[in-house]
């Protein structure tokens, strides 16, 4: 892993009931520029539980649901587990500039 500045993305994810999914956003840090929904979805399955010292990684502390809802530790653990099993969809990936 390099010590270069990571590329940050705001990722919108969908999970839960397929008919009425819960939407949430989370920050994703990558060493790659030009991440898209497919590449982030693949990383979600393989790197969901990564710690913040590794890249690529999801900054789960930044996870926010609809209406700025925060998730409990138990809900977050279930969400990360579901992500590792590919049970979460990636709806949108938006590059974010870090200052």
């Amino acid at each position: 892993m390099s010590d270069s500045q990571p590329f940050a993305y705001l990722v919108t994810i969908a999970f839960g009931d397929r008919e009425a999914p819960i939407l949430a956003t989370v920050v994703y840090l990558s060493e790659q520029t030009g991440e898209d929904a497919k590449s982030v979805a693949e990383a979600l399955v393989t790197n969901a539980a990564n710690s913040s010292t590794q890249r690529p990684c999801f900054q789960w502390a930044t996870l926010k649901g609809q209406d700025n809802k925060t998730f409990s530790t138990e809900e977050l653990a279930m969400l990360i587990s579901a992500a590792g099993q590919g049970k979460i969809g990636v709806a949108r990936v938006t590059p974010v500039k870090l200052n």
Side-chain angles (χ1 to χ4, degrees):
M1 179 174 84
S2 72
D3 291 331
S4 65
Q5 182 79 6
F7 294 97
Y9 300 88
L10 186 61
V11 178
T12 303
I13 57 175
F15 58 96
D17 182 13
R18 286 182 179 246
E19 298 300 318
I22 297 168
L23 295 177
T25 58
V26 64
V27 172
Y28 173 66
L29 299 178
S30 174
E31 293 180 328
Q32 305 294 321
T33 184
E35 294 279 11
D36 59 15
K38 181 181 178 189
S39 63
V40 172
E42 290 170 356
L44 190 57
V45 172
T46 58
N47 302 308
N50 275 2
S51 71
S52 62
T53 60
Q54 299 172 314
R55 275 186 243 149
C57 66
F58 292 87
Q59 298 294 308
W60 293 111
T62 65
L63 182 70
K64 295 289 182 192
Q66 295 159 320
D67 299 325
N68 214 25
K69 174 193 185 302
T70 57
F71 294 85
S72 70
T73 303
E74 185 176 281
E75 289 172 318
L76 182 57
M78 290 187 320
L79 178 60
I80 292 170
S81 175
Q85 297 170 29
K87 295 181 179 178
I88 294 178
V90 174
R92 184 180 317 167
V93 177
T94 307
V96 178
K97 283 195 171 205
L98 297 176
N99 290 330

